[in-house]
Amino acid sequence: MASLDRVKVLVLGDSGVGKSSLVHLLCQNQVLGNPSWTVGCSVDVRVQDYKEGTPEEKTYYIELWDVGGSLGSASSIKSTRAVFYNSVNGIMLVHDLTNKKSSQNLYRWSLEALSKDSSPTRVIVSNGDYDREQFAENSVPLLLIGTKFDQIAETKRTEVLTRTAFLSEDFNAEEINLDCTNPRYLAAGTSNAVKLSRFFDKVIEKRYFTRDPSPVSFSSPVLADMNSVVTLLFF
């Protein structure tokens, strides 16, 4: 595994939105039977065939960094969490489609990870008032993922999907809505699978094929063996 190039993708969002279940599904192609709270950060790996089916096809590893979802105001939590934001190549923003606040908080997570606000302590969105220019110069590829799609009543789906469409526009990112307990939402050939592959290809493109890519560095020796999930704990 060590011979393949890799990229680092953050998985961000509030506690309980299903980040760990999503990462397990993406990396193991299995439903996570008994998800638990992530303390600190856990890392898992997915294989991506860049530009699959073309002469430029090449295999890479996608490291998915599932960051614990506490948005408490304690500066010690944020300063410790900032360690995981080094050398980021892409960000998945995960929210619970049944929880509007988790969607609003994605702005806070984005600002924190992109270092535009070292200690965001409030919801950036208020009655739809949001300055899209905050992310105008962002060069890190983003993907918006809504979970628990199966729990939305049919009568509410149009309203919820309209809201997520605005989120997607704000972040200039594609969106995927799914149920992490049903692998069919990411089955090969589906629109979700196509969007996911396109996002990973974009992350790889930015990392390895731009004129001045940012180097990926791994400061912790515990990440040397990527055959298993690595858990990093706060102390």
Side-chain angles (χ1 to χ4, degrees), residues 192-210:
N192 280 350
V194 171
K195 290 178 182 179
L196 186 68
S197 181
R198 191 157 53 209
F199 167 70
F200 287 141
D201 274 7
K202 186 176 181 180
V203 172
I204 293 169
E205 185 90 26
K206 284 279 187 179
R207 168 65 181 92
Y208 289 102
F209 299 98
T210 55

Side-chain angles (χ1 to χ4, degrees), residues 96-163:
D96 177 348
L97 293 169
T98 68
N99 181 347
K100 187 175 181 179
K101 184 177 180 180
S102 74
S103 303
Q104 293 176 330
N105 282 341
L106 292 182
Y107 297 98
R108 300 172 66 184
W109 283 109
S110 302
L111 291 171
E112 181 180 301
L114 296 172
S115 300
K116 294 185 177 180
D117 186 342
S118 61
S119 57
T121 57
R122 60 183 178 86
V123 176
I124 303 301
V125 178
S126 177
N127 297 322
D129 182 17
Y130 170 66
D131 181 9
R132 296 176 184 174
E133 296 303 317
Q134 293 182 84
F135 296 98
E137 297 180 1
N138 171 48
S139 62
V140 178
L142 304 175
L143 179 65
L144 189 69
I145 300 181
T147 62
K148 307 182 185 181
F149 184 75
D150 58 309
Q151 297 181 25
I152 304 174
E154 290 286 348
T155 56
K156 292 286 187 179
R157 288 192 175 179
T158 299
E159 175 188 340
V160 171
L161 294 180
T162 298
R163 173 163 52 84

Side-chain angles (χ1 to χ4, degrees), residues 107 125 128 130-132 135 165-173:
Y107 297 98
V125 178
Y130 170 66
D131 181 9
R132 296 176 184 174
F135 296 98
F166 280 114
L167 276 175
S168 177
E169 185 177 349
D170 281 345
F171 288 112
N172 190 29

Side-chain angles (χ1 to χ4, degrees), residues 212-230:
D212 185 25
S214 299
V216 177
S217 61
F218 303 97
S219 59
S220 174
V222 74
L223 297 180
D225 181 7
M226 298 306 298
N227 289 290
S228 61
V229 177
V230 178

